[in-house]
């Protein structure tokens, strides 16, 4: 297998046009390739500058999870810190986790940040939403968002070989009018559900508003975690 390492967007487009299979850290596909056969050529974005950005409001798809630091919102940093082992985080990439993984531990965090995605295809780059990236498995180049007022992330303990542990991600955003609103995303099993509510009142009123969103279908055990995380992030917002 030939591994191609483009250093510019035109070069990356050429690799795609010539049939190179995109690969991140290969933590997920290596075993499949060993079983099913390796492609003739693969492409990694690890040398592409646009895919290695780490900024307050932007993150490249080729960034390794262990490199995600305090330049990023808390919700993203904490999400990355819970993925696998230290060895996995030193090889797994942002793009591989969001697009290639069935668990998508970073997806709830990206959703509550209202992140937009930049993707790459043979015709160039364009912006789209995360739902399209996940459903169509686009080649993710990077994410960008507006920094939240505050954010949080909780992942329950899981058992080896058991179901995916419950994840609750939260972020409070300030609107153009100065009013705050809260975004919540929950991974329950393999499904991710999200909702938004204004923060003009106390936690109980916010939680009731969230019950009227898609989050209202969550089971009671998940709602207990949502209640805890919402109460916590709103208390931190009050001190912001």
């Amino acid at each position: 297998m030939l591994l191609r390492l483009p250093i510019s967007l035109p070069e990356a487009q050429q690799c795609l046009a010539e049939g190179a299979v995109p690969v991140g850290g290969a933590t997920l596909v290596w075993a499949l390739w060993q079983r099913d056969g390796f492609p003739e050529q693969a492409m990694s974005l690890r040398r592409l500058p646009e895919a290695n950005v780490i900024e307050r409001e932007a993150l490249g798809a080729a960034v390794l999870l262990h490199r995600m630091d305090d330049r990023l919102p808390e919700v993203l940093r904490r999400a990355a810190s819970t993925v696998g082992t230290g060895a996995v985080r030193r090889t797994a990439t942002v793009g591989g986790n969001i697009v290639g993984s069935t668990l998508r531990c970073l997806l709830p965090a990206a959703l509550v940040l209202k992140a937009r995605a930049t993707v790459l295809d043979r015709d160039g780059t364009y912006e789209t939403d995360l739902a399209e990236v996940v459903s169509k498995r686009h080649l993710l180049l990077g994410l960008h968002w507006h920094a939240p007022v505050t954010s949080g992330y909780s992942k329950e303990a899981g058992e080896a070989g058991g179901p995916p542990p419950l994840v609750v991600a939260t972020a409070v955003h300030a609107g153009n009018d100065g009013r705050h609103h809260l975004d919540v995303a929950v991974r329950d099993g393999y499904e991710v559900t999200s909702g938004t509510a204004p923060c003009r009142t106390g936690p109980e009123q916010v939680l009731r508003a969230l019950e009227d969103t898609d989050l209202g279908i969550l089971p009671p055990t998940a709602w207990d975690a949502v209640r805890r995380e919402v109460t916590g992030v709103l208390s931190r917002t009050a001190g912001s």
Side-chain angles (χ1 to χ4, degrees):
M1 181 184 72
L2 172 66
L3 177 62
R4 303 179 68 173
L5 300 168
I7 60 174
S8 69
L9 290 175
E11 188 179 348
Q13 288 175 247
Q14 184 65 29
C15 291
L16 291 176
E18 293 175 1
V21 177
V23 59
T27 56
L28 298 170
V29 299
W30 194 260
L32 295 177
W33 285 349
Q34 287 181 313
R35 184 192 67 191
D36 301 332
F38 287 80
E40 290 186 6
Q41 54 178 327
M43 176 183 70
S44 169
L45 301 181
R46 67 190 185 201
R47 293 184 182 173
L48 187 67
E50 292 88 345
N52 283 280
V53 172
I54 306 177
E55 297 176 356
R56 182 169 177 263
E57 296 186 337
L59 179 64
V63 172
L64 300 177
L65 301 188
H66 81 102
R67 294 181 55 215
M68 294 172 63
D69 55 26
D70 58 7
R71 287 172 286 182
L72 300 168
E74 178 181 352
V75 65
L76 269 176
R77 299 197 314 268
R78 292 183 61 184
S81 71
T82 67
V83 175
T85 63
V88 168
R89 292 190 292 274
R90 286 190 291 273
T91 56
T93 64
V94 171
N97 184 272
I98 291 177
V99 182
S101 169
T102 56
L103 295 178
R104 300 189 174 98
C105 296
L106 299 185
L107 180 59
L111 286 172
V112 298
L113 290 175
K114 297 185 177 295
R116 296 284 292 174
T118 302
V119 300
L120 175 67
D121 63 17
R122 297 181 183 184
D123 298 320
T125 63
Y126 64 94
E127 184 179 298
T128 187
D129 57 39
L130 289 167
E132 180 177 316
V133 171
V134 171
S135 64
K136 297 184 178 180
R137 299 179 69 85
H138 288 310
L139 175 54
L140 181 64
L141 190 62
L143 304 171
H144 60 92
W145 59 86
H146 293 298
V149 176
T150 189
S151 61
Y153 185 89
S154 171
K155 183 177 183 180
E156 295 189 353
E159 298 180 4
L166 182 74
V167 164
V168 180
T170 56
V172 174
H173 298 270
N176 293 332
D177 58 1
R179 294 182 177 180
H180 291 169
H181 64 271
L182 171 68
D183 283 86
V184 179
V186 177
R187 187 190 70 191
D188 185 26
Y190 291 96
E191 298 298 320
V192 178
T193 309
S194 60
T196 303
C199 299
R200 295 189 296 270
T201 52
E204 290 302 321
Q205 290 82 359
V206 173
L207 285 162
R208 282 199 289 271
L210 289 172
E211 287 179 343
D212 292 331
T213 71
D214 290 344
L215 294 169
I217 64 173
L218 292 173
T221 52
W223 261 105
D224 288 342
V226 170
R227 176 180 297 275
R228 181 179 64 251
E229 293 303 307
V230 167
T231 302
V233 77
L234 291 179
S235 68
R236 295 196 298 277
T237 305
S240 300

